[in-house]
Amino acid sequence: MTNAAPATTATIAARAVMASKIYGQGDNEVRALDGISVEFAQSRFTAIMGPSGSGKSTLLHCLAGLDRVTSGQVFLGDVEISACTEKQLTLIRRDRIGFVFQAYNLIPTLNAEENITLPMALAGHKPDRAWFDNVVDAVHLRDRLSHRPSELSGGQQQRVAVARALVSRPDLIFADEPTGNLDSRSGAEILTFMRQAVTDLQQTIVMVTHDPGAASYADRVVFLADGKIVDEMQDPTAERVLDRMKSFGD
Amino acid sequence: MFRLTWKGLLAHKVRFALTAFAVMIGVSFLVGTNVLTDTIRRTFDDLFADINEGTDAFVRSRDEIDSQFGPQRDRIPANLLPEIRRIDGVREAQGSLFFYAQLVDRDGDAIGNPGQGDPTFGGNWTPEGLLNPWQLVRYEGAASRPPRTADEVVVDKSSADKGALLVGEKVRVLTQAAPKEYTLVGVVRFGDVDSPGGASASIFTTSESQRITAAPDAFDSIAVANGDGVSQAEMVRRVEAAIGHPKQYEVLTGAEITKENQDEIARAMSFFTIGLSIFAYVALFVAVFLIFNTFSIVVAQRLRELALLRAIGASGRQVCWSVLGEAVMVGLLASAAGVLGGVVVAGVLKALFAGFGMELPSQGLVVAPDVVVLGLIVGTLITTVSAVFPARRAARVPPIAVMRDVAIERAGHRLGWTVAGVVLTAFGVAVLLYGLLGSPKNGIAYVGFGALVLFIGVAVLGPTLACPVGRLLGWPLARLRGITGELARENSVRNPRRTSLTAAALMIGVALVGFITIFASSTKESISVAVDRVFRADYVITTHGGGFGGGFSPDLAEEVDALPEIQTASGLRFNVFEIDGSSKFFASSDPVGIDELFDVDPIAGDFATLGVNQLAISQKVADAKGWKVGDELPVRFPVGNKGTMTVGAIYGTGQQEGLSDYFISLAAYDSRYNEHLDNQVYARLRPGVTPEEGKRAIEPVVKRYPNAELQDQAEYKQAQEAQINQFVNLVYLMLALAVIIAGIGIANTLALSIYERTRELGLLRAVGMSRAQLRSTVRWEAVIIALFGTGLGLVIGLFFGWAVVEALKSEGITEFAPPGFQLIVVVAIALVVATIAAIFPARRASRLDVLQAIQTQ
Ligand SMILES: Nc1ncnc2c1ncn2[C@@H]1O[C@H](COP(=O)(O)OP(=O)(O)O)[C@@H](O)[C@H]1O
Ligand SMILES: [Mg+2]
């Protein structure tokens, strides 16, 4: 199965071309991204790893249209989002991208169900009921739908966040350390679910993590250091990732 | 700790700037009002000091009837003057008369409006000397001289300017005698101003003055100037000894009469000051909610920081004081700015006054130290006291809050508060109703206090009401506007206390605006109902702009009555007398033919034959006092004052029904008052005469009296309504202050809330909320808060209106008529204010940098 679908022939969900992101000027200049070119194939689960400050979050934000690259291009499918207006980016985020952050993923005044359907409500669309039920059952939230975030555990909150990202069937889901704040059991639950979403539902996920265990759920790991891609690995296992990380020296 | 306070202030300067601004507005208005009234008072103080400068002794009649137009007293015989002049040590003595006189300008319009503005009076010329405060001046190149014949007059320069009058030309003057043409022989100034306090003065010879007032052998008063070496007290003794009758005459020193004049003005001004100050205090009261809210929110947002302070060893007391210290500093700065602003406000008002013809001297504004201190203390105290609760809450923050993720928002409320709110509200209502309906001595104080407690009570109840009411108000919004509406609704109820405090500020403004609106409309409706019920006359002649301050010579009524098209016409006068020990309003007209003009609803006795020593009373008074036809009642009038009058008739149309509770004939009036002016003239057409014919007949007569205006019933109603509208608009203008502060409160609360929801807003933007959607969420939140406040305010306003109308039933405000359309306009305005208040916070929210927002911890 390893070579069943070579990356070059698969449809590309997102890609960056010579993308650079520079913060500050002169002596204070920080190259958070330093001419990165990378592709993310559709229906694949990619993990981005690297030491703290290596530019993982920055890459994610630029791919997701939350931030703009200083130079280079970023594409979502065929759309060059690095050339989109702020308004267009908002619509792209709403309709084609899903997000899971490390924490504070939910609107405290809305209950779980409302949080899940928020992007569709913003777009003024009705959620697909069957698909919604599917997702909710998959994340085991059926009996928690009317609860507010303050009444949910951290793991449940993240599951709601993942459900929100899935329910609008986006082209791509970006997750920035989605398990960073969770205990290992809750983390494993979330990761298993994300894995399923990719395998069973052909969802595309790009996830930033610094946990080799989490990375092992992915199809592919991209290693970042100092704003550059330094290596990548297909079908990772926790041990192999850990070894590779050690060789970089964290 | 002080450094910490100062740093805290600097760190939150934008947040406190709005609070400070609200306090500043209130203090500015308070100080401005006081500076203005002090300035006006000093003007009058100087004026009376000037008028009485040469006066050492002042003789007048003793008895007086006190009315809201000032005291009225009898005249003194002119033959006292030679007696006084013979007294040893008298250098000069002059008798003076003071009466209504109104000049007519070049275009034939009367100058000034005594019913609403500055007095228009006449007086007699006394030889230039110690006792004559006027100076003849050259005017437009012509020399002035005193009036010497009955056909000559001298006027003040201000009136000459206004009326474009020229020396040597004819000028018409209206008095209680028939209108008459005089030759203008001189123009005078008063000290260094063109006219005393904006008044319009016509000065005649003494004998002409006596003819006009029908007082050939009388003066209102006699002023005495001493020769060298005689004290004022000594002169008073000598005059008293010479004229005798200590019961009949009163002799004052020059200093006493000056003081009395000044005190009268001070008293009149104090109503003005209190009236304006009330609005300043209303504004400050509204600001209290704003301050309280700001400090509460800031404390809530700084929970971590405060807990850290506690954790590293600060005592609760120290934390409390650091917050209070901020309040004191904000208060001081704001009050200081407010005092400066107040001087500006006073300057603007003074300029406005000058625009209306009330000339204040050029010396500038009187900024008394006590007014400055008042402004500083009130502003600082209000700010500090409003911050006490938030500061105490800050002191109770446990050190552990540093470690724990303590919920930032203190949601919900406690049962105790709900109970307290209900109790306070009920108490406020009770006190207010007692003040209005229980007729205690200081009714108005009870009403004010009751209203204050009621407002606080409802504000305390607010958090309890905020959730259900906010949900209810937001329900259609969530339906119509989808997720933005729903988020707005949920945001508006997520912190009920914050929402309700913000709404409470608006509630007060709306309650007062609503009350005034309802009260005005009820008054108009009552007048309309009373006119329909009581008026049988086809036409009313009133002074321009209405009001009872001015009047016409009785000749007008006679001339109209004599017209062949007119069945009956009679003057109507209103004045005050003392009956059974208390002073009462009465109406006076010609009892013969009164049926033609008014539905007086005669019940007992004979109205038409009411004699000079008889009066008529309303059924209500008769019932209340147990008086009946034939009873002799003790009465007092200015002239020939003590005595009795017999009840000649009892009638149904009392004050409540639209006329008056007491009535005397014009003949009775003439013999008991010096000034014989009709306030209004009523006329009924002969059967068969069309309104057009009638109007054509009356108009030429009315034309000869330029201060008179001919109105039919509908026009009369309209004129009354216009007058009420004018007053109401003024009140609206004052209350706008409170509404503006409430608007600032909404803006402040939203801005603070948005600040603490930064993360959440970032998330919303990240998952695809557009800027426009975010702005609309904030706007709708403001609208829900405003609707909540407006709703409460309207309920309270309706209650106030109902209660006050109920209390004034016996004064003739019989109809409770809340005007639907206007109240809807009030709601609309409140919503507009809220929407405007939301503009800035909404823009800020929508401009949040998404990345930064989601990375904020
Ligand atoms: N807003 C910013 N301003 C300046 N430097 C930034 C900003 N955001 C990130 N950086 C810098 O860019 C680099 C990459 O940051 P980031 O992408 O957050 O790293 P990672 O997520 O891999 O820990 C870091 O050196 C960080 O300090
Ligand atoms: Mg990161």
Side-chain angles (χ1 to χ4, degrees), chain B residues 182-412:
Chain B
Y182 295 86
T183 307
L184 183 65
V185 296
V187 170
V188 287
R189 295 192 73 204
F190 189 91
D192 56 353
V193 293
D194 290 344
S195 106
S200 162
S202 320
I203 303 154
F204 310 88
T205 62
T206 298
S207 57
E208 174 64 4
S209 299
Q210 288 173 331
R211 182 196 71 83
I212 291 169
T213 53
D217 300 311
F219 289 118
D220 283 314
S221 60
I222 293 173
V224 180
N226 293 351
D228 295 334
V230 185
S231 72
Q232 290 193 344
E234 173 56 26
M235 182 51 70
V236 166
R237 245 175 327 232
R238 288 185 197 176
V239 174
E240 270 171 347
I243 61 176
H245 309 294
K247 275 210 190 91
Q248 209 173 337
Y249 307 123
E250 184 174 46
V251 187
L252 307 173
T253 64
E256 280 167 344
I257 186 68
T258 304
K259 174 92 176 34
E260 189 188 286
N261 292 158
Q262 290 172 344
D263 288 351
E264 263 166 40
I265 283 293
R267 204 182 55 165
M269 288 304 299
S270 77
F271 286 110
F272 184 64
T273 317
I274 291 171
L276 286 178
S277 298
I278 282 175
F279 293 103
Y281 283 111
V282 167
L284 284 168
F285 182 53
V286 172
V288 165
F289 289 85
L290 169 57
I291 300 162
F292 184 94
N293 218 8
T294 306
F295 276 92
S296 300
I297 298 173
V298 169
V299 163
Q301 291 178 350
R302 286 165 61 196
L303 218 58
R304 280 270 175 83
E305 178 191 331
L306 296 170
L308 179 66
L309 280 174
R310 293 298 313 279
I312 60 174
S315 70
R317 179 179 281 253
Q318 280 173 314
V319 169
C320 176
W321 277 107
S322 85
V323 174
L324 274 186
E326 286 181 13
V328 171
M329 257 183 292
V330 169
L332 263 178
L333 288 174
S335 314
V339 169
L340 293 180
V343 176
V344 176
V345 168
V348 171
L349 288 176
K350 187 182 157 184
L352 281 179
F353 271 59
F356 285 119
M358 169 137 181
E359 195 189 357
L360 295 172
S362 48
Q363 297 130 304
L365 299 165
V366 180
V367 185
D370 57 334
V371 172
V372 173
V373 172
L374 174 82
L376 289 178
I377 287 183
V378 167
T380 311
L381 210 67
I382 277 182
T383 317
T384 312
V385 168
S386 311
V388 163
F389 267 100
R392 286 189 36 196
R393 201 174 315 147
R396 285 200 301 266
V397 171
I400 188 73
V402 178
M403 265 70 81
R404 249 188 0 219
D405 194 13
V406 176
I408 282 180
E409 286 149 10
R410 289 167 49 96

Side-chain angles (χ1 to χ4, degrees), chain B residues 114-128:
Chain B
Q116 292 177 341
D118 310 308
T120 63
F121 66 85
N124 59 321
W125 182 262
T126 56
E128 283 153 285

Side-chain angles (χ1 to χ4, degrees), chain A residues 23 57 61 66-67 86 90-91 93-95 97 99 101 103-110 114-115 118-119 121-124 148 164, chain B residues 405 471 482-484 486-487 489-491 494 759-771 773 849-851 854-857:
Chain A
Y23 290 111
S57 295
H61 292 154
L66 283 170
D67 205 355
E86 181 57 38
T90 301
L91 293 182
R93 286 201 302 268
R94 192 182 75 192
D95 300 332
I97 292 176
F99 281 102
F101 298 106
Y104 305 110
N105 259 304
L106 307 178
I107 303 299
T109 49
L110 301 180
E114 289 164 333
N115 264 293
L118 182 60
L122 287 171
R148 296 249 173 135
R164 179 188 63 207
Chain B
D405 194 13
R471 286 244 156 73
I483 190 71
T484 51
E486 170 152 7
L487 280 170
R489 180 184 70 176
E490 291 308 317
N491 281 337
R494 73 198 284 179
R759 217 197 119 123
E760 192 181 319
L761 298 176
L763 180 68
L764 281 168
R765 293 277 290 126
V767 300
M769 183 176 252
S770 69
R771 288 201 162 129
Q773 282 176 313
D849 183 53
V850 183
L851 264 190
I854 57 175
Q855 286 166 345
T856 306
Q857 289 305 311

Side-chain angles (χ1 to χ4, degrees), chain B residues 573-612:
Chain B
R573 301 174 189 175
F574 288 97
N575 211 328
V576 171
F577 69 159
E578 231 177 79
I579 181 158
D580 203 27
S582 61
S583 115
K584 297 286 180 199
F585 260 103
F586 66 85
S588 177
S589 185
D590 189 355
V592 180
I594 193 155
D595 274 354
E596 309 276 353
L597 303 177
F598 303 105
D599 180 3
V600 292
D601 184 16
I603 289 172
D606 188 3
F607 217 98
T609 62
L610 225 47
V612 176

Side-chain angles (χ1 to χ4, degrees), chain A residues 14-19 36-40 59 63 69 73-75:
Chain A
R15 65 195 163 101
V17 182
M18 288 307 286
I36 282 187
S37 294
V38 65
E39 294 180 346
F40 298 95
L59 177 61
L63 287 168
V69 289
Q73 290 167 302
V74 177
F75 294 89

